[in-house]
Amino acid sequence: GKWLIYASNKTLVKQPIIGGEPISVMPRGVTSQPSPDSKTIVFHYFDPNEKNKNPWKTGLTSFDDLTRLDNIDIDPERAIYRWKPDGTGFYYASAKRNRNNIWFYTLEDNTSRQITHFDDEKIVNMGVSPDGTRIAVSKGKEKSEIIRITNFD
């Protein structure tokens, strides 16, 4: 590819690999994944105008027309997107009915289908094999605690 894509200050940015100034691709774009042919980017972004539903959205944009944004009606649990090697769609983690599973979004007909049927733990990360025949999944439990620390000076 000719571009380096990264998030900087919660803005999706592209920069020529050979050097040059960074170009803002999508304000509020946090996590992105370019397609195998580097023509399309799927990304997770924040919509400050959303008042009724989850303000975190999934979008698609093209390198040819960075101003165009296609909002995808999926509700990913985490901003983990992995393209199928042939570029026909992408995998994502979603929590439906309190179950964290992998789904596949098809670009041809804009539909999603469930790939896994896990009953426990959250998907932390995943990867697709280069030939697209296998998916590696890292799962785990989230645990958080609040600790009060006093008299530490």
Side-chain angles (χ1 to χ4, degrees):
K2 301 176 188 174
W3 299 94
L4 174 65
I5 302 168
Y6 60 95
S8 175
N9 296 322
K10 298 182 181 178
T11 298
L12 190 61
V13 176
K14 77 174 189 174
Q15 186 169 2
I17 290 179
I18 59 172
E21 292 299 313
I23 301 166
S24 175
V25 175
M26 175 58 60
R28 305 173 316 273
V30 177
T31 302
S32 65
Q33 184 74 35
S35 62
D37 63 5
S38 298
K39 293 182 179 178
T40 306
I41 307 168
V42 60
F43 61 95
H44 199 63
Y45 70 98
F46 184 80
D47 181 355
N49 299 318
E50 181 63 68
K51 304 293 183 209
N52 300 322
K53 296 194 249 178
N54 184 352
W56 289 100
K57 308 284 184 194
T58 298
L60 284 173
T61 192
S62 163
F63 272 113
D64 295 334
D65 182 7
L66 297 174
T67 61
R68 192 188 92 230
L69 166 66
D70 295 328
N71 189 38
I72 299 174
D73 191 22
I74 61 175
D75 188 19
E77 169 71 12
R78 302 191 179 286
I80 303 169
Y81 306 103
R82 301 293 179 259
W83 284 91
K84 189 172 180 185
D86 65 8
T88 58
F90 59 88
Y91 299 93
Y92 64 97
S94 183
K96 306 261 186 198
R97 293 179 219 78
N98 295 323
R99 302 286 191 263
N100 201 226
N101 281 289
I102 296 173
W103 292 68
F104 181 73
Y105 183 85
T106 306
L107 296 178
E108 183 179 343
D109 60 7
N110 300 319
T111 60
S112 293
R113 65 182 164 87
Q114 189 172 350
I115 302 297
T116 61
H117 297 278
F118 299 133
D119 288 330
D120 62 350
E121 301 182 327
K122 293 209 177 250
I123 295 172
V124 177
N125 206 346
M126 66 178 160
V128 180
S129 64
D131 64 1
T133 61
R134 293 178 301 262
I135 300 174
V137 179
S138 172
K139 293 175 30 174
K141 295 182 183 202
E142 282 188 350
K143 185 176 181 181
S144 62
E145 296 179 11
I146 297 175
I147 301 170
R148 180 178 174 187
I149 301 173
T150 60
N151 300 327
F152 57 88
D153 48 308

